[in-house]
Amino acid sequence: MKRNFIFACMALVAGMTWANDSSYEVIGNQLVPLKETGIRITKEILTIELRENNTAFVDVQYEFTNPTKEAKTVLMGFEADPPYDGSYEPDNLVKDVRHPFIKDFKVEINGTKINYKNALSKVGNFRPLRPTKNWTSENGTFFDMKTGQEIADVAHVYYFNATFEPGVNKVHHTYSYGMGNSTTFIYFLDYKLTPAIRWANKQIDDFTLNISCKKTIKHFYIGAECLPGMKPVVASGKGKVRKTANEYQQEGYVWEVALRNGSVKFHTKNFRPKHELWLRSGFICDPLGTYNKGGYLCGLSGGDLTDLQIRAIRNIPYAARGHVFKDPELKEFFESCFWYMPDPNYKDDTSDFTASDWEYVNFKDEDDKE
């Protein structure tokens, strides 16, 4: 079936890259990333809850091991790359060093709430930075105000002192953020895994990634090379997982995941990350091939959509919730969609339909509008 899609609007590109936690040193008033030679990452449970309206909630639970008999205090920093969409005033990015998309950042160590500070810092090397007052920014790129030279690899850092008692210590932090979106994807997120190798054991001894979708429906892809040797399993709710051809920027295959009020789990031991985690929604202008609750229906060019395609578009919100089709053409069509998971108990309840769902239901081809 021939499909011809056009963009109904240009979505804001608002991307950021999320980072794991690392150890730091303070030189004067500057933060310098370090390799910690004593403290080990014994365990990490990373949970990402995908919510509607391009938001997500992140919960990170660590177990660090201090092998010595004495307490050790380490300056820890959570890193997040700055936005690069050009919609933020340069002065604001420099003056307010908090990340504009991260909200409600909280951290606890061994059950005690810890105060944190914010700064801008280099990542991935061990050189000190110039003072913040000598920076400026344009379209998310930082420059030295005196020389005009670009300052690469700048990160917003949430930093705090972590006192590790002898033995196992638990570090827990949470935050919410607005995910990136573009003219290609309804949402996307990136999370840096490689800072884990800055700790003493240069790996995460026991690593778990949970991606959940509570009371919503999501269809997305995850780079398989980011999580080598890990086979995802549906841990709760209704879900499907498969390997599929890679249509993104990396080589190899990807994991394709469809969830309805459920979660998927990745797990491995002795994880030494070499790549950063990336997750992408289905294509924004492919309403016949993908669905994400809360995502909007993109415009379709007229004249070459078949009657079946038009009927399918109007029924997508029902199909995504599990409607069992009696119409043989619609039944065959949706059974060919990976994300379709029929539910005989679904009663065509529209109480949770979003504005975009009603756009699907009321869809008219351009020829119909004339």
Side-chain angles (χ1 to χ4, degrees), residues 25-46:
E25 180 183 12
V26 174
I27 299 178
N29 63 347
Q30 301 168 12
L31 288 173
V32 185
L34 293 178
K35 289 185 177 179
E36 171 56 38
T37 58
I39 306 299
R40 303 168 57 93
I41 301 183
T42 309
K43 189 174 185 178
E44 178 182 355
I45 301 176
L46 168 62

Side-chain angles (χ1 to χ4, degrees), residues 76-369:
M76 290 183 64
F78 169 84
E79 302 168 357
D81 286 358
Y84 52 83
D85 70 329
S87 67
Y88 298 90
E89 293 294 333
D91 288 345
N92 291 340
L93 277 176
V94 174
K95 292 178 181 178
D96 187 353
V97 293
R98 295 174 298 178
H99 197 287
F101 293 159
I102 294 179
K103 308 297 181 184
D104 301 321
F105 186 93
K106 298 176 182 178
V107 59
E108 292 182 352
I109 300 178
N110 294 324
T112 300
K113 184 178 179 180
I114 302 297
N115 294 325
Y116 63 87
K117 296 181 180 180
N118 294 92
L120 293 173
S121 180
K122 279 273 190 178
V123 297
N125 59 45
F126 313 111
R127 299 193 305 271
L129 288 174
R130 294 180 182 274
T132 304
K133 65 182 180 181
N134 289 337
W135 298 16
T136 187
S137 174
E138 181 179 348
N139 295 332
T141 300
F142 286 81
F143 297 90
D144 186 309
M145 293 176 63
K146 293 183 178 180
T147 66
Q149 294 181 341
E150 179 181 344
I151 304 174
D153 301 321
V154 173
H156 296 264
V157 179
Y158 294 66
Y159 67 99
F160 47 91
N161 283 315
T163 299
F164 294 102
E165 301 294 337
V168 176
N169 295 260
K170 295 184 179 182
V171 176
H172 180 205
H173 65 71
T174 59
Y175 56 92
S176 61
Y177 64 90
M179 290 186 287
N181 61 83
S182 70
T183 53
T184 304
F185 306 110
I186 300 169
Y187 59 86
F188 62 86
L189 65 87
D190 300 280
Y191 188 99
K192 285 186 179 176
L193 298 170
T194 57
I197 65 175
R198 297 183 197 168
W199 295 90
N201 48 339
K202 299 182 180 180
Q203 67 175 29
I204 304 168
D205 293 348
D206 190 315
F207 175 77
T208 300
L209 168 64
N210 298 309
I211 301 176
S212 68
C213 306
K214 296 181 179 178
K215 298 181 180 180
T216 191
I217 306 159
K218 295 297 178 186
H219 177 207
F220 55 89
Y221 302 84
I222 301 175
E225 82 287 347
C226 317
L227 305 164
M230 299 184 222
K231 184 177 181 179
V233 295
V234 176
S236 65
K238 191 73 173 180
K240 297 169 71 175
V241 179
R242 71 175 179 183
K243 285 183 181 180
T244 190
N246 189 356
E247 301 179 63
Y248 303 107
Q249 72 272 30
Q250 306 290 340
E251 297 180 358
Y253 63 88
V254 297
W255 291 110
E256 184 176 6
V257 181
L259 292 174
R260 185 167 66 228
N261 191 27
S263 64
V264 64
K265 177 180 178 180
F266 297 79
H267 178 258
T268 192
K269 297 288 186 68
N270 303 319
F271 179 38
R272 299 190 177 190
K274 296 181 179 180
H275 301 280
E276 315 301 359
L277 176 69
W278 61 265
L279 182 151
R280 304 286 184 266
S281 72
F283 290 111
I284 199 168
C285 281
D286 188 8
L288 294 173
T290 186
Y291 175 84
N292 283 280
K293 186 168 180 277
Y296 55 86
L297 174 62
C298 196
L300 295 151
S301 64
D304 54 6
L305 290 174
T306 67
D307 176 69
L308 174 59
Q309 288 173 311
I310 294 172
R311 289 195 295 135
I313 290 171
R314 292 171 180 168
N315 279 279
I316 282 176
Y318 297 98
R321 290 162 174 79
H323 177 86
V324 178
F325 292 92
K326 296 181 179 179
D327 181 291
E329 288 188 319
L330 287 175
K331 182 176 183 294
E332 181 181 5
F333 177 88
F334 284 112
E335 286 180 349
S336 71
C337 296
F338 170 74
W339 51 264
Y340 179 57
M341 297 176 284
D343 179 5
N345 296 318
Y346 177 62
K347 304 300 182 182
D348 290 351
D349 180 9
T350 61
S351 61
D352 71 336
F353 272 33
T354 64
S356 63
D357 285 328
W358 290 114
E359 289 182 20
Y360 280 95
V361 173
N362 298 314
F363 173 78
K364 290 184 177 181
D365 189 20
E366 286 190 356
D367 284 356
D368 295 335
K369 297 176 184 178

Side-chain angles (χ1 to χ4, degrees), residues 51-99:
R51 297 176 174 177
E52 292 177 26
N53 302 319
N54 291 346
T55 62
F57 181 78
V58 174
D59 183 298
V60 191
Q61 300 185 59
Y62 290 103
E63 287 185 4
F64 288 89
T65 298
N66 178 1
T68 70
K69 296 182 180 180
E70 297 181 354
K72 182 175 183 179
T73 299
V74 175
L75 186 66
M76 290 183 64
F78 169 84
E79 302 168 357
D81 286 358
Y84 52 83
D85 70 329
S87 67
Y88 298 90
E89 293 294 333
D91 288 345
N92 291 340
L93 277 176
V94 174
K95 292 178 181 178
D96 187 353
V97 293
R98 295 174 298 178
H99 197 287

